[in-house]
Structure formats: C-alpha cells, structure tokens
Amino acid sequence: MTRLLHVDSSILGEKSLSRSLTAELVDKLRGDIPGLEIAYRDVAAVAPPTLSSALFFARASGAEPEDATLRADLSAARELLEEFLAADIVVIGAPMYNFSIPTQLRGWIDHLVVPGKTFAYTQSGIQGLVAGKRVIVVSTRGSLYGADSARSEQDHQEAYLRTTFGNLGVTDFAFIRAEGVALGETQKKEALAAARRDIAALAAA
Ligand SMILES: Cc1cc2nc3c(=O)[nH]c(=O)nc-3n(C[C@H](O)[C@H](O)[C@H](O)COP(=O)(O)O)c2cc1C
C-alpha cells in the first residue's frame, strides 16, 4: 500500500491557488495509484507548536515533560514527524510569502529536521536518513523567480525547500509551479495552465 501525506499551508483559504493545485494533484495521484492511503495536514488551520527552547530540549532529552502544555506540544511534534516518516509520497502546498515560505510551513519543517531521526551529523558533514520518499512541492508565487529572471537570487522558497529536504536525504523531489500569479490575469491564467499541464504529466510511480 502507498501512503500519501498532503500538506497545505496557504493562509488564503478558498482564495488560495496552492490549495486548489495540491487538491488537483492529489486527485490525480488517487486515480493513478490503486489503494492510495491519504493523510491530510493543514498547518495554517492548526499551526504546529513553535519550536521553543523548552520544546527543543524536551525533544532532545526523550523524557516526558511534567508541564502539561509542553507534554502536549511534544506529542503534537512527534505526531508530525511520524506522519512524515510514514508517508511514501509527500505533497506540499508551498506559497511564496515574503520571499520564503509561510511561517506555519516553516514551523512544520522544524519538527521534521531532527538529529538521529531524519539526519545525522557525521565526520564528513550532515547525512540524510530519509530514503525512498517522493516529495512533490506545489509552488505558487506572485512574481517570477526562474533561473533566467532578474529576481532569481531572491528565491528563498524553492531553494530553501530543496536544501532542507535534500539534506534529509530526499532525492526524488519535484516542483509544480504557478509563477507570476500577481502579474495580471493573463499571466495568472498561463501560470495555472502550466501547473495543470505539469500535474497531468506527472508520472504515477
Ligand atoms: C503574506 C503574503 C506574502 C507574499 N509574499 C510574496 C513574495 O515575497 N514574493 C512573491 O512573488 N509573491 C508574494 N506573495 C504572493 C503569493 O506568492 C501568491 O499570492 C500565491 O498565490 C500565494 O499562494 P496561495 O494563493 O496558495 O496562498 C505574497 C502573498 C501573501 C499573501
């Protein structure tokens, strides 16, 4: 059985473009992969607990905290990590906000990057421990940041996600893009059509 984790992070609710596109992508994969088991996580609706000093040290110690709020946060953080580890395919709706990703998505990632679980420090540097996972990011952004654009160096969204998941060991990594969606109706329509073509072309396996 194949397990898919669908994560949305846009704060724009029904106006969100990334939410529409991740839903279409997950529908396509549901049709392509028989018996696909799908978990859904909306990190904008329920924000992951902030990785505070107390939560960081509680996580590292492995002991159960006495404080009830900290215990609940640690339990929520562990659930997010387990859910990620259990998935064969992870679909992430990642809008560009302020040249990067939404705070809530960053908060989710803070619970995935855990030494000894998803990466290890070795003498030769960081070694990713996450193998065999397919990560598909749906990237939406108001302006254009492609390699040949004037703004390419301002992309801390896709570059950040690629770096982060790459360091965890993810090698099967794809981006579905709707770029320039704030540059007028024509560009927005073209961007959405391009993203939909990429979704249709995505191979199931
Ligand atoms: C809070 C906020 C910050 C944004 N920051 C940027 C930005 O830095 N660069 C950019 O090109 N577009 C930016 N945009 C435009 C979004 O990337 C665009 O609206 C995209 O569709 C957002 O995805 P969503 O519709 O799923 O939320 C921003 C939008 C919002 C709401």
Side-chain angles (χ1 to χ4, degrees), residues 10-12 15-19 95-99 140-143 145 181:
S10 169
I11 60 171
L12 300 186
K15 291 191 171 10
S16 161
L17 302 178
S18 63
R19 283 175 186 270
M96 176 184 275
Y97 291 165
N98 304 326
F99 304 102
T140 49
R141 31 208 203 175
S143 198
Y145 298 85
V181 299

Side-chain angles (χ1 to χ4, degrees), residues 30-154:
R30 190 190 279 113
D32 286 351
I33 304 170
L36 185 67
E37 190 176 285
I38 300 169
Y40 183 63
R41 185 62 67 174
D42 185 340
V43 296
V46 180
T50 299
L51 185 59
S52 63
S53 170
L55 182 52
F56 176 80
F57 286 112
R59 186 177 79 182
S61 91
E64 281 310 302
E66 282 182 21
D67 179 81
T69 307
L70 186 54
R71 226 174 23 245
D73 284 352
L74 183 59
S75 163
R78 282 182 180 147
E79 192 181 324
L80 293 172
L81 175 60
E82 291 307 320
E83 190 175 60
F84 171 73
L85 290 173
D88 303 296
I89 305 172
V90 184
V91 170
I92 304 172
M96 176 184 275
Y97 291 165
N98 304 326
F99 304 102
S100 178
I101 56 172
T103 305
Q104 295 89 337
L105 186 59
R106 174 55 210 266
W108 176 70
I109 288 172
D110 280 343
H111 301 302
L112 309 186
V113 185
V114 182
K117 297 275 188 189
T118 50
F119 78 96
Y121 290 111
T122 70
Q123 284 188 334
S124 53
I126 288 175
Q127 189 197 333
L129 301 177
V130 176
K133 212 178 284 301
R134 181 181 191 198
V135 174
I136 309 169
V137 171
V138 173
S139 160
T140 49
R141 31 208 203 175
S143 198
L144 302 170
Y145 298 85
D148 51 354
S149 76
R151 285 183 178 271
S152 62
E153 286 179 8
Q154 297 174 10

